[in-house]
Structures are given as structure tokens and as C-alpha cells.
Amino acid sequence: MRPEREPRTGEGTRPSPAVRDRDDDLSVLFGMSTALFASMAGPAHVLEAANPAFFTAIGGGQRERTGVPLGDLMPELEAQGFLRLLDQVYMTGERHVGRDTRVVIGAGSRAREAYFDFTYEARRDAGGNVVGVRMIGVETTQAKHARRLAAEHRALLEQIARQAPLPEVLEGMCRVIEELSPDVIVSVLLADEEGRRLHHGAAPSLPAFYNQAIDGIAAGEGVGSCGTAAHRRRMVIVTDIATDPLWDGFRELAARAGLAACWSTPILGREERVLGTFGMYHRTPRAPQDADLALAGMFVDTAALAVERHHAERDRRMADAREKAARDDLSYLLTVSTALAGPLEEGQTLRRLAELAVPALAPLAAVDVLEAGRVHRVAAAAVTGRARELLASPGAAREFLETEDDAVARVLATGLTEVARRTPAGPGPWEELGVTGYLCVPLMDRELPFGVLSLYATDDAALDGHRIALAEEVARRAASAAHNARQYAQRAALARDLQTGLLLPDLPDVPGAQMAAFYHPAGQGLDIGGDFYDVFPRGDGSWSFVLGDVCGRGAKAATTTALVRHTARAVAPLLDDPVAVVKAVDRALNDRNAQQNNGFVTLVYGHLTPARDGLAVELVRAGHTLPLLLDSGHTVTPVEAHGGLIGIGVPPRLDAVRFTLRPTESLVLYTDGITECRGENTEQYGDARLAKALASTPAHPSAAEIVRKLTEDIRAFTDGRRVDDDQAALVVTAEGP
């Protein structure tokens, strides 16, 4: 409850005997108590009475006296506002209560921080007049420190839980203890993996020269307090460094640092493994008190938790790093394999090898190959263009000589990897490139070296065992890719020679007609497609045209395609009926040897004859996709023609269709590779989209414009993805008048 204001006495009024008797009784009551009691009189707050606990709290000694104003006895209270509070209580008569209030007692080096719960209340005489102020309080410093210790300890545990860096945790621990015990200097040393040496962990208040001097001390008997504690695995107390034999080797160092006493506790982990030491220094000789031992015990356990957590986290990071390194290696090798798996020729493969090696394996890489007794530098790669130019400078061919000065020659001769942590002995711009070591790995083909991958390091860590093993695996894959590229090049050359006769290099000029074609094979190299087209004269002013699809792929499909085209060209001048020409082709297919048979064929074959009103067309469809007619109004109409497959041993039923292509009208022949190609969502291109693409061409399109529109639409539909079947189209457009 808030007391009512009471009238105050005039200045200089002395308390009545009744007031003095009451305060005397209180003084007796508080005489042996730990609570603080003090009675002050008048506006000057003259200390009339106080119990021993009060004098102990304010510093004792010269301050244990009464009859003087409190401001003279404790001048430090003025700046902290406590005398103003006394004035306020004296003048108003209202009580003031302070909770956990901070007070700095004393001054200079003897000052101490303390906390109090206290009450200032007015002293009154028999008439109710305020004649002084009475103070009753309890010092809460220890409780405050205990709460602070608990809070700081909790904060340290939280730091450990969130995996704060170990130096940060240890330094925070040292500072907390030094704040709680101002005359203590704390040091934490950490043991190495073998527990044989102690290294600096944290010691924010020790001189730097001292920390440097003891960093790495041995854990052994007689090596100061900390080295001995780690050796004995129990606490070591040295109360006077100047006389204790454990400090014989460090006494002068301790004197320079102003250290006189040290007790050290080993930080032990699981299975009693020494993790480090926890040292507490003093600048004067002394033995530890119970509070010191309690602090050490609490924080040693906390330090053990922090260090073990740090070790566990370090081990986890190392395991993660090893796992990441393994994943990175696999990813890199996958990248290498993917990059080298494409349809590259041998030179491209070896250039790609050099590029893939930089900077993943080394900052500089070169590839040399042996050809006809001469060594050629075929590739060079570096992190900078200038370095690449320098590395490529020895690229001129040189005679293959097995000399001790040429690492490349030695590797080509032996087929063995060579590594050295020095500059290569042979000529080269090694100094300008800053080369400090090299690794030469053979490129093998059928157990014989045909080239060398050379990696050049510019630092000492670049050619470790891991890097060498990775380079050898990369070289092995590259050598295999180069071998495959050579074989592929040879096969592709054969395929090109074979395919040269399968397609027309250019369409012929047909009077009264525009001709355009589109051909996109799904395969490469020897994987020759089965789609084909041809246009040729019959010798009587008319022209033959054919577009078809052979079942299968590769060399057999190529021979079938050649048979169809050459048979048609041979009989077309002799037979006026397109049906007869197709039946002749069917007989040729069926008369093949069984081992040569490669399945059925579909085609559209026809004759073109220039006419006054356009082009007269007569065609036969043998199991093929329906031809499309694009008229002058941009209407797309299928040309209905019936006929079965050929080359299956059963005579096909074939019907010829005759019509006239009017000027600007077009006939479009195509293979099912166009209508059956798929887009991103696996939807087929289809007949409807094909008709729409043809109808969207500009007015009176030329044959070339129709082909261009068709190829653009197919490319947009497939979005550049590889097609699964060959695509071919042939467009015949009647020229305008």
C-alpha cells in the first residue's frame, strides 16, 4: 500500500528519544542478521546506527563509523542518485523500495559491483514529523551472480546446440568466468588428436606472447599446471608459480605475464579421452576457494560438451566432404563420359579431353599423339588465353625420341604414368607459366600408347594421389572415346560413300514444274535411313517421280533403296503404265536372295507430263501415306489411290489415279516419319497438323516455300528433339501461265 504523505520536520531537528530508542531496538534486532540496517538523521543523512552486515557490505575498514553524513562516508553514492532518493524520502515522507538495484561500492581498483533489495522509509518522532531515513535491505549480489551464471551457462549451451564456432564458445566461456570472478584469468587449451600436445583454444585476457609461447606444449609431467593436468588426468593446483617445481620451465614466462598462481583441470571426454585443459590464473599467490572449484567443475563439463560437439561436427563435415568429393568425382566422370560420348572425330575428342581437364584436374593441360613416328601436340587448354598459347607453342611435330629429358616420350615408350613435383626437364615455357610439377598419363589403344595427357601444376597441392587416380580414369575413358571415334570415322566414311548413290544431290529442272524436297534422317553414320525420293526423265518428254519408305535401317535398307530406285529408272522408259513400273519393282524385290531380303517397301510412283493447262499427273500408291493436293484456294485434299505393300511375296493390287495440277497447285508426297513424330507431350504431329501447315502457306506458294513452311512447323513441334524415324517430302508445283 502507498502510505499517506506525512509532514516533515524542519532542517536540523534532532530525533526524539523515542525515535532513538526505537532505532536502537532495530539495531539490536539486526545485529547478527545478514540483512542490512542503517539509521540516518536529518537532511544531511547522518549515520546514527548500522549493523555489522551494513558495514561489511560498504567495504568495512575506515567506513565502520557513525556520526558522519552518509554522503561523506560513501561519496560514490552521489553520482549514482542514491542521495537524491534519500532526500526525496526525507522531504516527502514516502517510502522508496528498490529491487535488485545495482550499486558500485568504493572507487578505483577497490570498487566492487553489488546488487541489493532495499527499502528507504521515513523516521518519525512522536508528533509524526520526519526526522530521518531508515534503510533496511538484503544484498542480492550472490543470487544475482547465480542467476547470471545460470543464464550465461544456458547461453553457452544454446551456442553449442546451434553449433556456434568452438573458438566463439570458448572465448565466451572465459569472459563469463572472468566477469563473475574479476580476479581470475581463464585459459583453455585443446589437445591434438593423439592427446600429446596442447594448443591455444581461448584466453582473451592473457598476453599474446604468453599464448604463443605455450601453444603446442606437451602433455607431460612437469609441464606447468596444464601440461601436467592433461598428463595426470586430474586437477593440478599450483598456489605459487614462483616456487613450484612444475613451473621450472615456464617460471620466467609466467613472471613476464604477471601470473603468480594457476590451477588447471583436464577436460575429459568419453572414455576418459583428454580433450584439453581448463586453467584459472591469479596474479597473486593463492589457493582456489570453493566458488572457484565450483566454477571450474561447471565450465569444464560445458567445455567438454562444446569440444566433443565440435569434434563430432568436424567429423561429420569431413565425412560430408569425402562424400561430396566422391559425388563430385562421379559427376565429373559422368560429365566427361557424356561429353566424349557424342559423335566426335578423334581430334575433337582429344581437344575436348584437354578442355575437360582444366581446371578440374589442373590449371594447364596438353595432349600429344604419336603418328608415323612423330609426336604432335593436338590440344592445349589453360585457364587463360595467354597460357594456352604458350602451352600450344611446342605444337610443331617432332621426331619421337626416347630421351631422359622428354617425359612425353618416356610415357609413350613405357605406357606408364609419370608424375613429378618439379618443372619438366625438357624445353618449354615452364617458368613463364609458373609450372611446379607435371603428370603425364598414357592414352592406350589395345594396350599400346598412342598419346599422352599432360597436366601441369602451378602449386604443390595439385598433384596428390586422388588427382592422379582421377586423371588416369579420365584418360582411360578419353582413350576409349578416341578409339571409338576412329572407328566411327571409318564407318561413317563408308556410309557416306554408300549413301551418295541413294539420294539426288539436286532435283532436276522439270519443264512447267517446280520441284522441292526435304530429307531428315533419324540416324547417323552407318545407320542409313530407309526413306528415299527420286525424279528422272523417261525420254519422251514426261518425267518419273517416286517417294518411298523401306522397312528397316542400315546397310540392308540402303541396298533395298538402291534396288528400288535403279529398277524404277531402268524400266520406266520402257513401260508407259505406272502400275507396270511398280509391279516390275515388286518382282525385283521378291526375286532377291532370302539373305538379302529386308522386308516390305511402300512408295508413291507417278509420271508428270507438261500440258497446256498445267501438269498431267498419273500416280500409283503402294501402301504409302496418301498424297496431298494443295489447290489455289489453299484447300488440302488427299489423293485417294488404292494399293498394297510391295516386296512381301504377294502380288499387290494397284490402281492408277490421273488428274491435272493446275497452275500454282501443288502435289505433296511425304513419309510417315513426319506425321508420326512426337512433340513434348508425346502427341503425334498427325495428318491434321500437316494439312494445317500446308494451308497456312502464303498465296500461290512455290514448291520451295511449301517445303520451308513444312520444315519450320515440324521443327517448332519437336522443339529440336531427335526424331525416331526418317522424314522425307517431295513437292511438285505446277508453274503459273
Side-chain angles (χ1 to χ4, degrees):
M1 295 178 61
R2 185 181 181 87
E4 296 181 359
R5 297 188 109 190
E6 301 179 18
R8 59 186 178 89
T9 60
E11 293 187 7
T13 303
R14 300 289 296 172
S16 67
V19 174
R20 288 197 301 271
D21 290 344
R22 190 181 313 127
D23 284 348
D24 290 342
D25 292 340
L26 288 172
S27 180
V28 172
L29 178 62
F30 284 100
M32 300 304 294
S33 173
T34 57
L36 281 63
F37 167 77
S39 178
M40 291 154 283
H45 311 303
V46 176
L47 184 64
E48 288 190 330
N51 69 338
F54 174 82
F55 287 119
T56 300
I58 68 173
Q62 296 295 323
R63 293 189 170 191
E64 293 188 25
R65 53 198 176 101
T66 57
V68 295
L70 187 63
D72 294 343
L73 191 65
M74 301 178 66
E76 66 270 17
L77 297 181
E78 173 68 31
Q80 300 178 66
F82 290 102
L83 297 183
R84 288 194 299 276
L85 286 176
L86 289 171
D87 291 341
Q88 179 181 334
V89 173
Y90 181 79
M91 293 173 65
T92 64
E94 295 181 356
R95 183 173 57 178
H96 173 82
V97 176
R99 298 294 184 193
D100 218 12
T101 302
R102 178 179 180 272
V103 184
V104 177
I105 300 174
S109 61
R110 301 183 63 84
R112 79 176 183 96
E113 180 185 65
Y115 292 85
F116 295 91
D117 287 343
F118 67 93
T119 300
Y120 287 165
E121 62 180 13
R123 297 173 56 202
R124 302 177 184 273
D125 60 14
N129 298 311
V130 176
V131 296
V133 177
R134 181 184 301 116
M135 188 279 291
I136 300 174
V138 176
E139 183 170 357
T140 60
T141 303
Q142 290 186 342
K144 177 79 172 180
H145 283 184
R147 290 194 299 272
R148 183 176 176 184
L149 175 62
E152 297 288 358
H153 188 251
R154 184 168 57 252
L156 290 172
L157 293 177
E158 290 173 355
Q159 279 186 303
I160 297 170
R162 69 169 185 267
Q163 299 178 357
L166 182 61
E168 179 182 322
V169 174
L170 296 180
E171 182 162 336
M173 182 186 306
C174 293
R175 293 192 183 280
V176 166
I177 297 174
E178 290 173 353
E179 289 176 6
L180 295 174
S181 299
D183 54 345
V184 170
I185 301 171
V186 182
S187 168
V188 177
L189 297 178
L190 299 176
D192 59 17
E193 287 297 319
E194 295 77 19
R196 296 177 180 177
R197 294 199 170 272
L198 302 174
H199 296 276
H200 175 72
S205 298
L206 284 174
F209 74 84
Y210 186 85
N211 289 329
Q212 293 172 2
I214 66 172
D215 186 21
I217 63 170
E221 188 69 24
V223 187
S225 300
C226 295
T228 305
H231 174 71
R232 295 179 181 177
R233 285 180 164 76
R234 65 175 185 271
M235 189 176 193
V236 171
I237 298 174
V238 173
T239 59
D240 189 351
I241 291 175
T243 60
D244 197 294
L246 295 180
W247 280 80
D248 286 346
F250 303 92
R251 189 167 290 113
E252 292 183 4
L253 179 66
R256 283 181 57 202
L259 306 176
C262 177
W263 44 90
S264 181
T265 306
I267 303 172
L268 301 178
R270 287 168 292 185
E271 300 178 358
E272 295 298 299
R273 176 191 174 190
V274 176
L275 304 176
T277 59
F278 181 84
M280 302 175 74
Y281 292 88
H282 273 271
R283 298 197 181 279
T284 58
R286 57 159 288 185
Q289 300 177 359
D290 291 342
D292 298 320
L293 297 176
L295 275 176
M298 173 182 289
F299 283 99
V300 161
D301 292 341
T302 306
L305 177 62
V307 175
E308 287 198 315
R309 183 64 176 266
H310 169 74
H311 286 173
E313 180 63 18
R314 179 199 60 193
D315 294 342
R316 184 192 65 78
R317 286 196 301 269
M318 292 175 61
D320 288 347
R322 288 192 295 270
E323 181 181 351
K324 182 180 182 302
R327 289 198 306 268
D328 290 345
D329 287 350
L330 290 175
S331 176
Y332 173 64
L333 290 175
L334 178 61
T335 300
V336 169
S337 297
T338 302
L340 298 177
L344 305 175
E345 53 92 14
E346 183 178 5
Q348 288 178 308
T349 299
L350 297 178
R351 288 191 292 274
R352 184 69 59 83
L353 168 61
E355 293 167 358
L356 291 168
V358 175
L361 298 177
L364 303 165
V367 178
D368 297 280
V369 297
L370 180 63
E371 294 177 351
R374 298 175 69 82
V375 179
H376 299 264
R377 176 148 296 178
V378 297
V383 293
T384 66
R386 174 59 179 162
R388 191 197 65 78
E389 292 176 1
L390 289 171
L391 194 59
S393 59
R398 62 187 187 275
E399 295 294 335
F400 174 53
L401 299 173
E402 297 183 27
T403 66
E404 295 183 358
D405 292 337
D406 193 340
V408 172
R410 287 193 298 272
V411 174
L412 284 171
T414 64
L416 300 176
T417 296
E418 181 174 320
V419 60
R421 299 185 183 277
R422 58 174 174 80
T423 302
W430 314 126
E431 183 175 350
E432 187 170 354
L433 290 171
V435 172
T436 59
Y438 65 88
L439 169 65
C440 293
V441 184
L443 300 173
M444 307 294 289
D445 185 5
R446 299 186 184 91
E447 300 183 356
L448 293 175
F450 69 89
V452 176
L453 168 64
S454 299
L455 304 175
Y456 299 98
T458 56
D459 60 78
D460 295 336
L463 299 178
D464 54 14
H466 166 260
R467 196 69 54 89
I468 294 171
L470 192 59
E472 289 180 329
E473 177 61 22
V474 169
R476 185 189 66 78
R477 298 186 183 205
S480 176
H483 171 75
N484 293 337
R486 283 195 299 275
Q487 287 190 326
Y488 176 84
Q490 294 168 356
R491 294 170 59 197
L494 292 175
R496 283 193 299 270
D497 293 342
L498 180 60
Q499 199 168 29
T500 299
L502 302 184
L503 294 174
L504 290 176
D506 294 298
L507 289 171
D509 293 328
V510 177
Q514 297 175 3
M515 310 290 290
F518 159 60
Y519 179 70
H520 183 192
Q524 299 177 355
L526 270 183
D527 197 13
I528 302 169
D531 292 4
F532 64 93
Y533 62 87
D534 199 359
V535 178
F536 54 89
R538 298 182 62 237
D540 61 354
S542 65
W543 293 76
S544 293
F545 64 90
V546 62
L547 180 139
D549 188 357
V550 174
C551 174
R553 305 184 60 78
K556 288 186 177 180
T559 59
T560 301
T561 299
L563 177 62
V564 171
R565 287 185 59 213
H566 295 155
T567 301
R569 279 179 171 262
V571 303
L574 306 176
L575 302 172
D576 291 333
D577 185 4
V579 171
V581 174
V582 174
K583 287 185 176 181
V585 172
D586 179 59
R587 284 194 298 273
L589 291 171
N590 292 326
D591 288 345
R592 289 181 300 174
N593 186 287
Q595 284 75 21
Q596 295 176 320
N597 195 348
N598 193 45
F600 61 86
V601 175
T602 70
L603 57 79
V604 175
Y605 173 81
H607 294 160
L608 292 174
T609 304
R612 285 190 308 170
D613 55 351
L615 288 172
V617 180
E618 185 177 9
L619 63 79
V620 177
R621 184 177 73 93
H624 200 72
T625 56
L626 290 174
L628 298 177
L629 180 63
L630 176 65
D631 63 20
S632 58
H634 276 65
T635 300
V636 179
T637 306
V639 178
E640 297 294 341
H642 302 286
L645 304 173
I646 60 175
I648 60 175
V650 177
R653 291 188 58 185
L654 303 170
D655 295 322
V657 176
R658 299 174 180 84
F659 58 91
T660 299
L661 275 182
R662 305 298 178 183
T664 72
E665 291 185 340
S666 299
L667 175 66
V668 180
L669 311 179
Y670 61 95
T671 61
D672 58 8
I674 292 177
T675 54
E676 294 178 0
C677 68
R678 297 184 181 274
E680 182 179 2
N681 57 0
T682 72
E683 175 189 4
Q684 286 190 346
Y685 186 78
D687 297 327
R689 179 160 183 145
L690 173 60
K692 184 177 180 181
L694 295 175
S696 65
T697 55
H700 309 305
S702 66
E705 288 174 334
I706 293 173
V707 168
R708 183 168 58 253
K709 177 61 180 179
L710 182 58
T711 55
E712 289 175 352
D713 195 64
I714 293 171
R715 190 179 301 112
F717 178 77
T718 59
D719 194 22
R721 284 183 296 275
R722 181 175 177 177
V723 296
D724 297 327
D725 196 5
D726 305 323
Q727 298 174 342
L730 177 64
V731 178
V732 181
T733 302
E735 290 186 336

